[in-house]
Amino acid sequence: MACAFWLANDGRQVTVVDRDPAGDKSSFGNAGAVAVPEVVPASQPRLVWRIPGWLLDPLGPLALRPSHLPGMIPWLLRFLRAGRTEEVARIAALLSALNRRAQDDMLALLTSLDLQGDLHRKGALAVYETDVGFERDADEWALRQRHGIRCEVIDGDAARELEPSLGALVRRAVIMPQWSHVSDPKRVVDRLREFLLQRGVAFVASEALAIEAGEQPAVRLADGTRLAGASMVVAAGAWSGWLAASLHDRVLLESERGYNMTFAAPGIDVHRPLVFAERKFVATPLAIGLRIGGAAEFAGLAAPANYERAHSLVQSARRYLPGLPAEGGMPWMGQRPSTPDSLPVIGRSPRHKRVFYAFGHGHLGLTQSSTTGRLLAELVADRDPPLDLSPFSIERFG
Ligand SMILES: Cc1cc2nc3c(=O)[nH]c(=O)nc-3n(C[C@H](O)[C@H](O)[C@H](O)COP(=O)(O)OP(=O)(O)OC[C@H]3O[C@@H](n4cnc5c(N)ncnc54)[C@H](O)[C@@H]3O)c2cc1C
């Protein structure tokens, strides 16, 4: 949708194909963070030693369905490779280059939608319950700081002064002023769709089955029709991999399923997003209530949701926010489109010079959405983008 926005803004005639244009995918229900400070990739040098503990913990941040494991092995091997110290440094620099533009690009998009007031620049507070946990993340904080991310370390009492709903458990916290959040991600996509319709962007509610290469790229649709255009952008989230494969472009892309629980009436005040750093989940105060979101579950695109994981998040959150009710939240599951190196795929197909890719944003798909659309519009117009996009190319998986 952000690609459609920037392409239409560039004067192009755009058609969006989505089997469910007003749907409920990741962009509808995410945690609403424009998480500029998140430049550290998921794979880390010593992470491998923590994975067994997480997998064994039913409340833990990671789950993997055993039947899904064999098909995931190439992705996992590449994930481990991305965790080498020099790779982490390279990836952080690339994420930082994207994220540095994210706030301004998001504001430009929201302003066009008359939603500029929906971007809240209140920063975020990352909280820790143990000194060991805080010290284990020292390298990550140092890496963020090397990329210009401002961080201020405070103790538990100072954290409770800022956020009185936090319990005694919290020992340390880090203030991240460059983090911002939107009032409601669903409102952003709904308004964006209305805006695009008013601007003459066409929506075709059909499933794309395959890309067909020809002089003009075309997409074969489930209703039997074929839609051709001067250029084509594949931006189908976690489903993009097999569309790229129909053009023989290889990518390592997993659905990293995440869960949320949104409390319309949480009974506690949270003033800014909270990041529970040791357990890898967040709480965002949205206009529609308090959203507790996180978890990484690898089970493939088709497996049914396991909403127990959303309830587990609430149990974990209640340790930090004792006033949070156990019941009454609305659960949701979304499929993050995740690459093993935490970098999105933004660029031209090596198989067809008029097919472009914009997917694989993992945990940062809202944050990097407008920036991706903006960069992509430059590529489609055959202009040089203001950022070298070669490290984001799908060719890295070739
Ligand atoms: C729990 C959770 C919390 C998150 N929190 C944040 C956050 O706070 N900040 C942040 O930046 N990111 C966050 N994310 C990540 C972010 O939501 C995603 O990266 C982003 O929404 C992906 O956007 P997308 O447009 O690529 O994919 P999606 O939003 O999944 O959209 C893909 C679209 O493609 C359509 N589609 C797929 N296949 C086809 C096909 N064959 N034919 C036609 N249409 C098709 C689908 O119907 C869908 O509308 C979170 C994700 C989760 C799950």
Side-chain angles (χ1 to χ4, degrees):
M1 296 278 276
C3 290
F5 173 86
W6 285 107
L7 288 165
N9 200 52
D10 214 21
R12 274 165 216 288
Q13 192 188 330
V14 181
T15 300
V16 175
V17 176
D18 196 312
R19 61 182 164 220
D20 189 11
D24 64 349
K25 301 296 178 287
S26 286
S27 302
F28 158 107
N30 63 55
V34 180
V36 170
E38 293 311 303
V39 299
V40 178
S43 191
Q44 288 291 309
R46 289 178 298 277
L47 187 83
V48 69
W49 305 112
R50 298 175 71 189
I51 290 176
W54 281 341
L55 287 174
L56 290 171
D57 178 356
L59 295 189
L62 180 66
L64 204 159
R65 286 200 192 169
S67 58
H68 188 62
L69 180 62
M72 245 192 99
I73 287 173
W75 191 99
L76 283 171
L77 292 174
R78 189 67 175 252
F79 179 82
L80 292 178
R81 209 165 97 194
R84 292 183 195 155
T85 307
E86 64 283 5
E87 267 297 273
V88 170
R90 184 185 73 88
I91 294 166
L94 292 166
L95 287 175
S96 159
L98 277 183
N99 286 7
R100 212 172 293 139
R101 319 178 80 87
Q103 182 105 243
D104 288 349
D105 290 340
M106 181 60 79
L107 193 58
L109 186 148
L110 292 178
T111 303
S112 294
L113 308 183
D114 205 14
L115 284 183
Q116 61 277 19
D118 275 28
L119 186 68
H120 306 282
R121 300 174 189 234
K122 295 186 173 175
L125 197 62
V127 302
Y128 286 87
E129 61 183 283
T130 65
D131 292 335
V132 172
F134 176 75
E135 277 143 28
R136 194 170 40 212
D137 285 354
D139 290 351
E140 291 186 23
W141 289 112
L143 186 57
R144 285 191 183 93
Q145 281 172 316
R146 280 205 291 283
H147 289 289
I149 303 301
R150 297 197 299 280
C151 318
E152 187 192 338
V153 181
I154 56 175
D155 65 16
D157 287 337
R160 277 178 288 278
E161 251 175 58
L162 289 173
E163 292 291 345
S165 297
L166 284 171
L169 181 78
V170 173
R171 288 183 59 83
R172 300 259 200 127
V174 184
I175 303 173
M176 294 183 278
Q178 287 138 305
W179 184 291
S180 56
H181 68 282
V182 296
S183 296
D184 175 7
K186 174 172 160 45
R187 184 150 85 174
V188 176
V189 280
D190 283 348
R191 188 71 73 86
L192 182 50
R193 196 173 52 254
E194 285 161 22
F195 178 89
L196 294 175
L197 279 165
Q198 281 163 8
R199 289 295 164 102
V201 170
F203 280 76
V204 173
S206 184
E207 176 153 23
L209 296 182
I211 303 169
E212 292 176 355
E215 200 179 321
Q216 281 201 330
V219 65
R220 191 153 39 82
L221 302 178
D223 60 12
T225 58
R226 189 175 171 274
L227 191 69
S231 305
M232 182 189 299
V233 180
V234 177
W239 295 266
S240 305
W242 62 265
L243 277 173
S246 70
L247 199 60
H248 305 290
D249 275 333
R250 180 173 184 259
V251 63
L252 293 172
L253 186 73
E254 275 292 326
S255 147
E256 183 185 339
R257 296 139 60 101
Y259 290 84
N260 275 335
M261 190 72 94
T262 307
F263 289 88
I268 53 170
D269 287 328
V270 173
H271 303 101
R272 55 180 70 64
L274 301 173
V275 180
F276 304 98
E278 283 148 301
R279 296 193 158 258
K280 312 268 180 223
F281 70 99
V282 299
T284 311
L286 300 175
I288 51 166
L290 184 65
R291 177 164 288 169
I292 313 291
E297 180 188 56
F298 293 93
L301 285 164
N306 172 10
Y307 289 113
E308 276 308 306
R309 298 205 64 79
H311 291 281
S312 299
L313 281 173
V314 175
Q315 280 183 50
S316 294
R318 275 161 52 80
R319 297 177 62 243
Y320 296 91
L321 297 166
L324 185 73
E327 302 296 334
M330 175 74 93
W332 173 85
M333 185 275 281
Q335 318 235 23
R336 299 184 193 95
S338 291
T339 60
D341 56 11
S342 298
L343 293 174
V345 178
I346 308 173
R348 203 183 284 270
S349 161
R351 312 263 165 189
H352 197 302
K353 62 180 192 317
R354 298 313 309 167
V355 174
F356 300 85
Y357 294 119
F359 62 82
H361 297 77
H363 289 238
L364 294 174
L366 172 66
T367 306
Q368 296 168 348
S369 55
S370 188
T371 298
T372 298
R374 200 163 198 171
L375 294 169
L376 201 101
E378 297 295 310
L379 282 183
V380 171
D382 291 326
R383 294 189 295 259
D384 281 338
L387 195 71
D388 173 18
L389 290 176
S390 57
F392 300 97
S393 166
I394 199 166
E395 290 187 77
R396 69 189 193 270
F397 300 106

